[in-house]
Amino acid sequence: MIPAAFDYVRAGSAEEAIRLIGEHGDDAKFLAGGHSLLPLMKLRLAQPSVLVDIGRISDLSYIRDAGDHIAIGALTRHMDLETSSVLAEHVPLLAHAAGQVGDPQVRHRGTIGGSIAHADPASDLPAVVLALGGTMVAQGPNGTREIASSDFYQGFLESALEPDELLTEIRVPKVGGAGWSFQKFNRRAQDWAIVGVALVRNNGSSGVGLVNMGSTPIFAQGVVDAMVAGASAADAAAHAADDAEPQSDINASVEYRTHLAQVLVRRAITEAGG
Ligand SMILES: Cc1cc2nc3c(=O)[nH]c(=O)nc-3n(C[C@H](O)[C@H](O)[C@H](O)COP(=O)(O)OP(=O)(O)OC[C@H]3O[C@@H](n4cnc5c(N)ncnc54)[C@H](O)[C@@H]3O)c2cc1C
């Protein structure tokens, strides 16, 4: 499968990337790791006329302890998340989930910024950042703004980013002492989840994100409310699909996805300490 013809430009900085995307208009797209965009282009489901390659902006690849949160540059690769000692200490859920993305080749090329910006409900990291209550930092021609993860995912493969905005940083709270779990059900080890659950259980700020249970990553508010009210794992898990709109596809029916979500949420609550 061969993509439609496109022009290619490489940006050396965030500012240059934003200028280039502005110059080339709505048909231009940022290229990070290319592991979501290039498959879409090969299938002709995306046909950008210009690719602005941001993959070598090394300033945007970092994981930093920023006091009350961890700041992660958008160009940080999944493999760097998986092996980060900072994340292992302060946000082990994110490090673990990054290690479940695809296979080693995908994890060495794909970036957290690409995964979040792509806003695929079947991807792992968007639901993890949603469960954690993370914040996205976007830079555009008129400056920088912060977007709460609860406002970020707006539709299928649709985020709150403007076409000329670059996602530069993802901020996640430190939850080192919290219980957590990541449950991913797939048919083959390197596949996307048929259903996935990211759960963090912290004093007063629990979060549950669902993978592949709707057109966006889903925050399972019904489960969180039940957990806060002291429900058992089984009773809280009964609410797993309350906030979801699962679709049927070649892998699973709506009923099967709903059942899976309930089973995985129950396992997650138990693994995270009850
Ligand atoms: C075989 C295979 C298996 C996979 N398995 C999984 C899996 O199990 N779980 C999972 O979660 N993912 C999986 N993926 C997807 C993988 O994680 C991708 O790397 C990731 O979703 C996208 O990151 P990227 O850096 O490759 O982004 P790209 O493909 O370069 O970009 C994706 C989209 O985001 C935009 N974009 C990228 N970076 C930015 C930015 N900084 N600011 C604004 N817009 C930006 C691009 O314009 C494009 O529209 C798999 C991919 C493959 C090919």
Side-chain angles (χ1 to χ4, degrees), residues 201 222-223 226-227 230-242 259 261-271 274:
R201 179 165 213 157
V223 176
M227 287 166 65
S232 67
D235 288 346
H239 295 279
D242 286 4
H259 173 71
Q262 291 168 345
V263 170
L264 297 179
V265 166
R266 180 168 44 75
R267 281 185 197 162
I269 295 172
T270 305
E271 190 173 273

Side-chain angles (χ1 to χ4, degrees), residues 15-26:
E15 291 70 25
E16 188 183 7
I18 293 160
R19 181 177 57 73
L20 285 168
I21 210 101
E23 274 173 18
H24 291 289
D26 285 355

Side-chain angles (χ1 to χ4, degrees), residues 29-37 54 74 78 101-102 106 110-111 113-115 117-118 123-124 161 165-167 184 190-192:
K29 280 232 162 243
F30 294 121
L31 176 72
H35 270 50
S36 289
L37 182 54
I54 56 174
H78 305 316
V101 172
V106 173
T111 65
S115 181
H118 192 53
S123 286
D124 300 310
L161 290 172
E165 276 185 317
L166 181 70
L167 177 61
K184 179 170 178 174
Q190 74 274 27
D191 276 346
W192 276 267

